Amino acid sequence: MSLLITGSIALDSVKTPLEEHHDLLGGSASYAGVAAGFFTDVNLVGIVGSDFPQPYLELYQKHRMNLDGLEIADGKTFRWSGEYEWDMNNRRTLSVALNVFEKFQPTLPASYRHTPYVFLANIAPQLQLHVLAQMERPRFVVADTMDLWLEIAREPLMELLKKIDCFILNESEARELMKETNLIKAGRGILKLGPKYVVIKKGEHGCLLFGEGHVFSAPAYPLEDLHDPTGAGDCFAGAFAGYLASVDRVDAVSLRNAVIYGSVIASFNVESFSLGRLQTLTPRDISQRYEIFRAMSQFVAG
Ligand code: AMP
């Protein structure tokens, strides 16, 4: 089954203590779309400016992304820049220029409206709601968010939570949303706000999946080759939703596998800047790392 993805499309500038790169392909929808493309066909909804490089459009197409819902508007593409500390869990946003995003109110192509699986990648919750309202009875809707929206758009975010099946957020966002220090309580609390499932990402420490009456804790890959963590969360969520769409089944087994495939793709993505590593990634690389995750999660009773 195919997957509709909306979110940001950006030209990023990223600085780490060792490297600095400009005008990289970024944005939540770019990372999520390419990650999902390892599992299923993607209908992309987004906007870029006339300065958006043609090779990036070709990259999308190479990764199973349909661009009928991509608007190319007069003006400049959304731009974001950020800087990491030596502890790459800490990032500072240096600048944001919304540019063409400021007036983005997409009308979905008719061919998109029956896409059975939907991933609303990080973008203003008002826009996530606007896209979701145009979908015809989707089978499963996943949404992501960021701390900014908890601060400036809490009301539409709460409305969104009532309309989706699965909410993905990171640990600090979960704590902030629920005003709760304990992550288990925070996850269970978010379930009561609407979604049937909640995934809390814990960066280099793995993630937690909550459903009614169950919690699954996934390990993190012991990564040694970390170059740029940008987009790891978007890749996780894109692969998670893409995997579920590919098996067209949402149950305890498929959800756990989706979490592991999400972790696998995210762990590859951080090995290079932008989408560099995902461009050379093969199905064999994915299945080998999946097996490592499986081995890490197993133990024999002693
Ligand atoms: P992550 O590392 O998962 O937080 O995602 C990083 C991506 O989010 C970058 O490629 C940015 O272009 C994009 N981004 C940054 N700020 C925003 C925002 N306010 N809305 C949507 N996307 C954003």
Side-chain angles (χ1 to χ4, degrees), residues 9 11 44-58 60-61 66-78 99-101 103-107 109 112:
I9 297 173
L11 296 176
L44 178 68
V45 179
I47 188 166
V48 296
S50 47
D51 59 348
F52 194 68
Q54 176 70 22
Y56 291 167
L57 296 176
E58 287 160 15
Y60 284 157
Q61 282 166 324
N66 173 2
L67 306 185
D68 292 349
L70 176 68
E71 187 180 335
I72 300 177
D74 283 339
K76 289 192 171 158
T77 302
F78 172 64
N99 297 332
V100 292
F101 245 105
K103 296 189 197 109
F104 186 46
Q105 278 292 305
T107 301
Y112 274 27

Side-chain angles (χ1 to χ4, degrees), residues 7-12 25-28 31 78-80 84 91 93 96 98 101 122-124 144 146 148-149 201 229-235:
S8 61
I9 297 173
L11 296 176
D12 286 347
L25 177 58
S28 58
Y31 283 110
F78 172 64
R79 279 175 186 266
W80 172 82
Y84 289 90
R91 179 174 79 192
T93 291
V96 178
L98 288 178
F101 245 105
N122 173 35
I123 200 176
D144 193 359
M146 74 187 290
L148 176 70
W149 312 124
K201 298 169 285 183
T230 310
D234 308 312
C235 285

Side-chain angles (χ1 to χ4, degrees), residues 171 174-187:
E171 54 184 319
R175 291 191 172 103
E176 191 181 331
L177 176 64
M178 298 312 294
K179 307 273 182 253
E180 169 62 64
T181 52
N182 181 285
L183 274 190
I184 304 297
K185 285 186 186 161

Side-chain angles (χ1 to χ4, degrees), residues 5-275:
I5 295 183
T6 193
S8 61
I9 297 173
L11 296 176
D12 286 347
S13 291
V14 179
K15 194 173 171 190
T16 68
L18 296 174
E19 280 178 86
E20 184 171 349
H21 295 275
H22 298 277
D23 290 342
L24 299 167
L25 177 58
S28 58
S30 302
Y31 283 110
V34 171
F38 287 102
F39 303 95
T40 195
D41 293 324
V42 173
N43 289 331
L44 178 68
V45 179
I47 188 166
V48 296
S50 47
D51 59 348
F52 194 68
Q54 176 70 22
Y56 291 167
L57 296 176
E58 287 160 15
L59 186 155
Y60 284 157
Q61 282 166 324
K62 237 187 272 164
H63 288 273
R64 299 176 72 174
M65 291 166 77
N66 173 2
L67 306 185
D68 292 349
L70 176 68
E71 187 180 335
I72 300 177
D74 283 339
K76 289 192 171 158
T77 302
F78 172 64
R79 279 175 186 266
W80 172 82
S81 69
E83 180 175 10
Y84 289 90
E85 296 176 9
W86 281 103
D87 174 355
M88 290 218 212
N89 293 307
N90 298 329
R91 179 174 79 192
R92 208 157 55 92
T93 291
L94 298 175
S95 66
V96 178
L98 288 178
N99 297 332
V100 292
F101 245 105
E102 233 161 325
K103 296 189 197 109
F104 186 46
Q105 278 292 305
T107 301
L108 303 195
S111 59
Y112 274 27
R113 290 176 193 242
H114 290 90
T115 313
Y117 287 77
V118 176
F119 175 45
L120 307 166
N122 173 35
I123 200 176
Q126 295 91 327
L127 257 176
Q128 293 175 312
L129 282 165
H130 174 81
V131 169
L132 187 55
Q134 296 174 61
M135 298 303 295
E136 301 281 348
R137 281 177 284 114
R139 226 170 275 177
F140 197 72
V141 180
V142 181
D144 193 359
T145 197
M146 74 187 290
D147 51 358
L148 176 70
W149 312 124
L150 299 178
E151 288 148 25
I152 68 167
R154 206 176 171 95
E155 222 173 276
L157 187 63
M158 289 303 183
E159 193 187 329
L160 181 75
L161 288 181
K162 296 193 188 99
K163 297 182 173 165
I164 61 172
D165 300 290
C166 179
F167 190 43
I168 301 185
L169 70 178
N170 69 33
E171 54 184 319
S172 62
E173 292 155 0
R175 291 191 172 103
E176 191 181 331
L177 176 64
M178 298 312 294
K179 307 273 182 253
E180 169 62 64
T181 52
N182 181 285
L183 274 190
I184 304 297
K185 285 186 186 161
R188 293 208 169 116
I190 299 169
L191 285 177
K192 294 198 181 112
L193 299 176
K196 288 194 250 339
Y197 306 99
V198 172
V199 179
I200 300 183
K201 298 169 285 183
K202 298 189 293 170
E204 61 183 334
H205 303 298
C207 73
L208 294 167
L209 164 73
F210 297 83
E212 208 191 290
H214 63 90
V215 181
F216 173 59
S217 175
Y221 184 72
L223 195 78
E224 292 184 38
D225 212 13
L226 172 65
H227 285 269
D228 173 17
T230 310
D234 308 312
C235 285
F236 171 90
F240 173 89
Y243 173 79
L244 289 176
S246 75
V247 295
D248 190 22
R249 217 183 57 236
V250 181
D251 57 26
V253 173
S254 64
L255 282 162
R256 287 179 180 207
N257 273 285
V259 163
I260 299 301
Y261 278 112
S263 307
V264 165
I265 303 295
S267 74
F268 279 117
N269 183 63
V270 301
E271 291 179 0
S272 77
F273 278 73
S274 183
L275 285 147

